[in-house]
Amino acid sequence: MNLIFLGPPGAGKGTMAVRLSNELNIPHISTGDIIRAAIRNETALGKQVEQIVEAGKLVSDDLTIALVKERLENDDTVNGFILDGFPRTLVQADALAKLCSIDCAVNFELKETEVVKRLSGRRVHKASGRTYHVLFSPPKAVDKDDLTGEELWQRPDDQEDSILTRLAVYHDQTAPLESYYRNLGLLVDLDSSPAPDQVYQDLKKSLSI
């Protein structure tokens, strides 16, 4: 089963992708993971993208498409995959259509106010990467790591102004993909506001799993 997960930041795409990947034994492939793996493995494309990332520039559509194509050629995708964060543009969607067929594009829907609440409440322990949420999974002591007692940190991109900017970019660049896949009869809308276990059951039902 070849799947695409769409939706705004904070909608839970990554969380659901990991669970479904484990159940179906197909890889969860995110753009960030592809880029990091290519750089780590020192592939020809990885060396190109490393220079771009180090310069603080955005990776072009052409190079992103080439990286995804390289990743999809790996043996672990023979029974399917879950793409998370790709395609991000209509150019990338057209290119993907030439590489492989897609069985379903799942659109994780979440209101903007809920996105802000989810992301702005996230807190991180820098040294370990342990993550908390002030509402949903708070630390035992306010803004303190449970194990070390050290101060927790809010990532700059989890601050409200940054979140609203990310949402604007999403709506400008990625939301048109909803129409693209809906017109192809491949889009399934999924309410991602309930508890994670409920969202996962709804996801499996929508995919007839």
Side-chain angles (χ1 to χ4, degrees), residues 4-133:
I4 295 169
F5 281 7
L6 303 174
K13 301 184 298 297
T15 300
M16 294 300 114
V18 169
R19 289 184 66 168
L20 193 62
S21 168
N22 290 333
E23 181 162 342
L24 298 183
N25 196 29
I26 59 176
H28 165 214
I29 302 171
S30 75
T31 309
D33 290 343
I34 293 172
I35 290 173
R36 285 187 289 272
I39 292 173
R40 184 174 61 251
N41 295 331
E42 298 183 343
T43 67
L45 288 171
K47 291 175 182 177
Q48 288 183 53
V49 77
E50 184 174 24
Q51 294 175 353
I52 293 169
V53 171
E54 286 181 349
K57 298 178 182 179
L58 293 176
V59 180
S60 68
D61 275 342
D62 287 347
L63 187 50
T64 302
I65 291 162
L67 285 165
V68 171
K69 180 178 183 295
E70 183 178 71
R71 176 64 183 86
L72 293 179
E73 290 171 350
N74 287 5
D75 292 341
D76 64 345
T77 65
V78 65
N79 293 320
F81 53 78
I82 303 169
L83 283 173
D84 171 13
F86 183 94
R88 288 187 182 274
T89 65
L90 294 176
V91 170
Q92 293 178 6
D94 284 337
L96 179 63
K98 295 174 183 176
L99 296 177
C100 62
S101 62
I102 297 299
D103 296 304
C104 185
V106 182
N107 180 36
F108 289 77
E109 297 184 306
L110 193 65
K111 292 180 180 178
E112 186 172 290
T113 51
E114 185 66 20
V115 170
V116 172
K117 183 167 73 173
R118 285 189 183 187
L119 295 183
S120 64
R122 185 162 50 187
R123 298 292 184 272
V124 180
H125 179 241
K126 275 189 174 183
S128 68
R130 278 187 292 278
T131 302
Y132 302 85
H133 194 283

